[in-house]
Amino acid sequence: MTHRQEVFDGVSCYKVAITTKGGHERCDFFDVATGLRRGQRVQWPDGLLTNIYRDFKAFDGKLMATVQIQGTAQGDVALTINSVTFTPNDPKLFDLPAGIAR
């Protein structure tokens, strides 16, 4: 994994380059000023996939991108989020299995 600064979608970002054990190459971009994830590029055998995250808004105090643009060889797809609802997890999901002590 390597990182450096680069402009991504007009924003100064830290570029983090990752190669998975399976050999897939991915670059994630994090806004230098905020630390928010601004995008990602993934190299697949059939081409480069680019995701851009924009227009961050707070939902229940959590900043989320309300626009995601996915760039593919076939064209761009834009997703817009208008509302977000967080459903609390059942606390029992975090109980340790029987026989395991804390």
Side-chain angles (χ1 to χ4, degrees), residues 7-20:
V7 174
F8 179 85
D9 193 39
V11 177
S12 183
C13 292
Y14 293 112
K15 176 183 177 182
V16 180
I18 300 166
T19 303
T20 67

Side-chain angles (χ1 to χ4, degrees), residues 7-66:
V7 174
F8 179 85
D9 193 39
V11 177
S12 183
C13 292
Y14 293 112
K15 176 183 177 182
V16 180
I18 300 166
T19 303
T20 67
K21 286 183 182 181
H24 296 289
E25 296 178 13
R26 183 179 91 205
C27 293
D28 291 326
F29 297 87
F30 298 91
D31 189 318
V32 170
T34 65
L36 294 170
R37 185 178 184 192
R38 296 298 307 235
Q40 180 182 67
R41 287 190 187 122
V42 182
Q43 184 64 53
W44 293 101
D46 56 344
L48 182 66
L49 175 69
T50 301
N51 289 310
I52 299 170
Y53 307 107
R54 294 181 180 155
D55 299 332
F56 287 83
K57 294 181 182 159
F59 297 95
D60 286 344
K62 299 168 184 73
L63 283 176
M64 297 185 67
T66 59

